[in-house]
Amino acid sequence: MAAFLTRVKGLFQHLMERPSTVDLKKYTEVLTSIEWREERVAKLTDAELTEAAGELREKALGGLDAHGMVELCALGREAARRGLDQRPYDMQLVGAMELLHGRVVEMGTGEGKTLAGALAAAGYALQGRAVHVMSVNDYLARRDAEWMAPVYELLGVSVGWVDQESTPGERRIAYGKDVTYGAVSEIGFDVLRDRLCTDVEDLVHREPDVALIDEADSVLVDEARVPLVMAGSTDDSQGDPEVAAIVRTLRPGRDYERDEDNRNAWLTGRGAKIVEKALGGLDLYSGDHSDRLAAVNAALHAHALLQRDVDYIVRDGKVHLINTSRGRIALLQRWPDGLQAAVEAKERLDPTESGEVLDSISVQGLVGRYQRVCGMTGTATAVSEQLREFYDLKVSVIPPNKPCVRVDEPDRIYDTVEAKETALVAEIVEQHETGRPILVGTLDVAESERISEKLTAAGVTTVVLNAKNDAEEAAIVADAGAHAAVTVSTQMAGRGTDIKLGGADGDENDHDKVADLGGLFVIASGHYSSSRLDNQLRGRSGRQGDPGRSVVFASLGDDLIAQYAPDATAGADPAEDGRLEDQTSKRFIEHAQRVAEGVHLDIHRNTWRYTRLIEHQRGLVLAYRDDVLRTDLAAEQLKEQCPDRWEKLAKDVPEDVLTVAARQILLFHLDQRWSRHLAFLSDVRETIHLRALARETPIDEFHRAAIGEFKGILKEIRELAVETFEEAEITADGVDLTAAGLRRPTSTWTYLVHDNPFDSDAEQALQRVRAAIRNVKAGKG
Ligand code: ADP
Ligand code: MG
């Protein structure tokens, strides 16, 4: 009964908090006041406009009241009109105001979120707050900062941006501005890098305050679990070219086998013999060669399961992972070391460095540091519950400036992938003849290429976007609306770029010509793993009241169906061309997508249960670190704990030098201890599933281990510091940590691990490898 009541309550709450379209009535008066004020503001000179914003800044410290909101919108609107020659639409102002209330606003593609976001950012800045506008990539961060600069300038708000190339000095300046644009990963990496500073002067970040997140669903949901990692150099094992060469000769079915869903591969008896012989006649499974066995398994995984151009591409002599959810190249992302090295060996590339993880933070953990989080996206409603559950964020739906008239056709379903693609090509050929621009959305790079080849064979010239660089893609996608253009692109290639009918440089004539043809036709070659991703693709058509059309071609042979509705069958015989129009097929396809969405949510939830504790512990350690860095805490503590030593040293060493030495010693141990703790936690996580077999709940077991280990950590750090302080040589030049055998990492680098150990197939496969080794060692294998 109680459970039932909770469920009803949950349902009720769910209904209550369902994201709703903002109450425009609430805003009617405000919008009228803004227009009234706007008339006067229009008469101000530029300098007077800036001055008025300065006056608002003085009044707004601590918060914008209703009057302040009106003033901000009026000034912001005028600044945009002058700076960009665009007068913000009412709905953009409403969006900005909702952002200022800490909401995630849903505004369709092409509604002008960049400008709405900038007005909100300026609004926060005028309240004296530091704003980070987070983008999904470097290109967009810089583009938006430069694009919006004239608006900020007129409002007297300073703005900067960071990208991968920024120097520490440039970063410090950029983060010192009122508003800073940056890719989520770049901002996160700076947080990690700041973690290694031993001198306050070297920090680039200020205290995190306001995060305004563009493409908020991508960042907060799709990428939330992605750990940002900072590693330091150690000489570690590399991929083994010899093993790779051996594995390359193996034949599937004969020498190795794969399971049905292509997630695991193993050697057959025959395969094992071949490998053992080639490696000089050793017994792989004896337990004496677990390193070799691990290398062989990693190589086999790389060879048999990871497919070039589907899972990764090779460019500039490096392996780049493709983010499977969007077919985009995953910048700086890599697999766990063993596998990364194995793929590099498979492709005969020079090995990249591997090292020790010094610190890591998940995107969710990064966002969690901010006092205030808000964001914007075209597709928030579908994830409103997750935004509430994980971030306590509410969604506001802003109606479009002009109603959307795009026609979303029902799916066209076929029995096989073959039949589907034949029909898809035929449809494109037919539509293309009219001159109507077509955007084909595919699931991965290989599919893009296959479809493009078929189109070429059918006489249609295509432009293919294949996870190249963001700026180039943006330029290409911007032209996808040109007359007779056929663009084939993976999910989010060129995202954030506006597709104008008639082409990027087209005039009104070009626009109208294409509009008369029905506007941009978006054709998906299959459903993505969530309806949200489908909608993002559809949203590329029909912007600002333009005509447009979208349709998904699906088949019962699609991967999504195979994976999430493997029992799917057609409810009726297909037509001659393979077309299925029965309800059963349709339901199976919808079902598969819902299952996929559920699986992803479970994974997110599960991962978060693990990472939340780690992020919490990280927070505690960092708060202590910050104290040590910014105050003389280390000196005070060491002076108290080693009074004799301090006194002795103080005879020859000036107090300030001693203070710095104390700080460096303590920070060294703190950083090292923390990275050891992280290594411990990842070990526990790796073995947790084995322990789960022993009937313990993994998460409880993990918590128990993590909390137990963490308990004494601060005390331990202080003890280690005391030890070093007693023994290390400290002179008027300070402490020589290296001489004391305490080396800070000489080089560090940062990367994203595309997925968390718990759900990435790659990691799971590696875990299986490790488990296999353990079993071998334990004599079970
Ligand atoms: P979104 O991020 O919501 O998809 P963008 O911010 O990229 O949209 O803007 C889409 C296009 O609309 C851009 O070309 C931009 O210049 C234009 N735009 C935005 N606001 C206005 C406005 N108030 N008046 C005219 N054009 C606008
Ligand atoms: Mg945008």
Side-chain angles (χ1 to χ4, degrees), residues 85-89 92 107-115 143 147 214 496-498 500 543-544:
D85 199 18
Q86 288 175 350
R87 178 179 177 271
Y89 309 120
Q92 283 174 300
M107 292 171 72
T109 314
E111 289 294 313
K113 288 186 285 294
T114 317
L115 179 52
R143 181 200 72 174
W147 180 11
D214 196 9
T497 306
D498 201 24
K500 288 199 179 79
R543 55 176 289 286
Q544 288 291 340

Side-chain angles (χ1 to χ4, degrees), residues 528-531 560-566 587-603:
Y528 294 107
S529 56
S530 79
S531 57
L560 185 73
I561 320 299
Q563 218 172 339
Y564 297 105
R587 250 180 263 128
F588 267 120
I589 284 178
E590 287 164 1
H591 172 72
Q593 194 177 49
R594 269 199 310 276
V595 173
E597 287 169 356
V599 166
H600 286 125
L601 176 58
D602 279 350
I603 291 172

Side-chain angles (χ1 to χ4, degrees), residues 12 28 82 181 286 304 348 715:
F12 186 62
T28 337
R82 290 184 200 184
Y181 283 75
S286 68
R348 300 183 175 89
K715 188 160 157 268

Side-chain angles (χ1 to χ4, degrees), residues 277-591:
K277 183 151 169 261
L279 286 175
L282 52 78
D283 177 1
L284 268 184
Y285 298 96
S286 68
D288 297 336
H289 305 287
S290 55
D291 289 354
R292 284 301 227 191
L293 179 60
V296 169
N297 276 318
L300 184 62
H301 189 97
H303 175 71
L305 305 180
L306 295 176
Q307 218 180 322
R308 185 166 170 163
D309 292 338
V310 174
D311 301 299
Y312 64 93
I313 61 171
V314 175
R315 209 175 62 212
D316 304 334
K318 290 210 175 65
V319 170
H320 299 267
L321 266 68
I322 290 173
N323 182 332
T324 44
S325 79
R326 45 201 72 243
R328 293 279 297 109
I329 187 165
L331 191 69
L332 291 179
Q333 297 187 0
R334 51 188 281 145
W335 285 292
D337 273 329
L339 193 54
Q340 181 83 18
V343 173
E344 283 158 359
K346 170 185 170 188
E347 297 292 343
R348 300 183 175 89
L349 303 171
D350 291 335
T352 49
E353 265 181 301
S354 68
E356 178 194 18
V357 171
L358 300 175
D359 195 14
S360 93
I361 187 171
S362 67
V363 170
Q364 186 158 352
L366 174 70
V367 170
R369 301 170 73 241
Y370 289 81
Q371 301 284 326
R372 167 56 73 91
V373 178
C374 59
M376 50 208 186
T377 167
T379 44
T381 315
V383 285
S384 58
E385 269 186 74
Q386 294 179 59
L387 293 175
R388 186 171 51 80
E389 177 177 342
F390 296 119
Y391 302 95
D392 203 18
L393 283 172
K394 289 187 184 148
V395 171
S396 295
V397 180
I398 315 288
N401 177 48
K402 289 188 192 153
C404 179
V405 298
R406 185 187 64 237
V407 177
D408 296 327
E409 275 184 39
D411 287 1
R412 296 194 208 167
I413 302 170
Y414 294 83
D415 57 348
T416 64
V417 176
E418 253 307 281
K420 175 186 79 173
E421 288 185 1
T422 307
L424 178 120
V425 169
E427 174 74 19
I428 293 170
V429 169
E430 192 185 321
Q431 292 287 336
H432 177 63
E433 273 167 16
T434 68
R436 179 180 206 178
I438 300 165
L439 176 67
V440 188
T442 66
L443 294 162
D444 56 49
V445 178
E447 194 179 55
S448 284
E449 242 134 51
R450 195 170 63 238
I451 289 175
S452 162
E453 270 166 30
K454 289 184 180 182
L455 284 168
T456 310
V460 178
T461 314
T462 59
V463 182
V464 186
L465 289 188
N466 273 351
K468 287 203 200 109
N469 88 57
D470 293 308
E472 259 174 49
E473 282 184 355
I476 297 173
V477 141
D479 257 334
H483 185 262
V486 179
T487 313
V488 183
S489 157
T490 49
Q491 158 68 5
M492 285 314 274
R495 62 180 156 172
T497 306
D498 201 24
I499 302 182
K500 288 199 179 79
L501 295 189
D505 304 320
D507 55 20
E508 208 155 311
N509 231 341
D510 300 313
H511 173 277
D512 294 349
K513 196 166 127 197
V514 170
D516 285 344
L517 293 168
L520 181 67
F521 194 6
V522 168
I523 302 182
S525 67
H527 280 288
Y528 294 107
S529 56
S530 79
S531 57
R532 193 164 41 84
L533 296 178
D534 288 345
N535 287 336
Q536 284 172 7
L537 180 67
R538 291 187 206 274
R540 310 219 73 165
S541 161
R543 55 176 289 286
Q544 288 291 340
D546 279 340
R549 205 171 182 86
S550 82
V551 65
V552 178
F553 279 72
S555 94
L556 293 181
D558 289 353
D559 279 350
L560 185 73
I561 320 299
Q563 218 172 339
Y564 297 105
D567 305 329
T569 48
D573 287 335
E576 209 172 306
D577 63 353
R579 179 95 184 250
L580 291 164
E581 302 199 67
D582 63 288
Q583 288 304 309
T584 310
S585 306
K586 187 165 160 262
R587 250 180 263 128
F588 267 120
I589 284 178
E590 287 164 1
H591 172 72

